[in-house]
Amino acid sequence: MPTLRQLFLTNNAQTTDFPLLLEFERAEGVYMYDAQGKAFIDLISGIGVSNLGHSNPYVINAIKDQLDKYMHLMVYGEYVQTPQVRFAEKLVSLSPESLQSVYFTNSGAEAVEGALKLAKRFTGRQQIIAFHNSYHGSTHGALSVMGNEEFKQAYRPLLPGVGFIGLNNFDDLNLITHQTACVILETVQGEAGVLVPDKAYMQALRKRCTDQGVLLILDEIQAAFGRTGRLFAFEHFGIVPDILLLAKALGGGMPVGAFIASHGIMSALKENPILGHITTFGGHPVCCAAGLAALEVLLAEDLISQVAEKEALFRKLLVHPSIKNIRGKGLMLAIEFADFDLNKKIIDRCIEHGVITDWFLHCSNAMRIAPPLVITQAEIEKACAVIVEAISFYS
């Protein structure tokens, strides 16, 4: 009789020749538990998803309540479905005045695709400007605006008319012209190793886009919902995007994404042609019910106000000569080491001792620290002790 691991390797599509092959039976709070009952602290939140931790009871109850009413009814945008309406209403109420209309998708990559289409349709322009070392997903359009050739060269040809500029490079802003439809940027660059833009740069970028009639798309798929210490990361910079991209933590553990814009911009999808962007399962009622519940918990428990203190504790405890730098904002941090080999050894030893962490696609010598926002001081101390021990073991 084959084991579950053997069946996984045989029947499930693999993305590398060396998957982690960890098997978990349940998860609760910041912990995941294997078949033997061993607990692992999840320091990466399923890559930015589980901001409330795992199995939040309020979210689970919202899912169960919606299951008793209905699941899929119709392709997105045709029926008035309470979970979609209430979730969109809540998101709009928490957003700047110009972000008035929510289009729900199934994922972050789909939100990227919809936003790129919307920008081209609204402006009538074709050029897109993205950033070096950016990551926006793996679908063809999202891959086209990824700023790492290693991960995209095998899939060309991709979207034409895409140019790249450098983060915090003021001179490159001159490449944004009246021919540009949109600029797409992660408000905090995640897979680049958590690079935080300068405030003056972000304000200059916003001004350049406004002056040239260019739509500014901010990708907060990883950075939103308290991850950086604000509900939305753009609040740190005193700017507002024309289109905002959300996913990951948006669904409280369920798959949902969104792009949000003004009514005037979003209405471009309604004509010439009609149904300018369509999705069957986008805004699934169960996912929207979960997302609304997660957002209500995030606000009711005031988790965002605790992020800065928890960040400071990580920075205080993660001290070692082998750590070259700690970058980031809030609970979105990168611990930089000399090279990938050392980083990978440390990560593997952390996992062996019950702390789940990871490296970054475009910055393989840095360790990812992005725990659920509900992590306690005691859990931070426990996780950091494991990390420091692992660093010392290999140093």
Side-chain angles (χ1 to χ4, degrees), residues 9 161 163 250-251 261 273 301 338 378:
L9 292 171
L250 176 67
E301 298 187 4

Side-chain angles (χ1 to χ4, degrees), residues 29-32 40-54 221-222 225 227 247-250 252-253 314 331-332 355-358 368-375:
V30 302
Y31 291 98
M32 300 184 290
F40 294 77
I41 296 177
D42 182 4
L43 275 194
I44 56 177
S45 304
I47 313 296
V49 171
S50 306
N51 279 18
L52 300 183
H54 299 278
I221 290 166
Q222 283 197 58
F225 301 110
R227 176 59 54 190
K248 290 191 178 287
L250 176 67
F314 270 108
L331 291 177
M332 188 175 180
V355 172
I356 303 290
T357 181
D358 195 12
R368 188 190 307 267
I369 302 291
L373 307 189
V374 297
I375 193 169

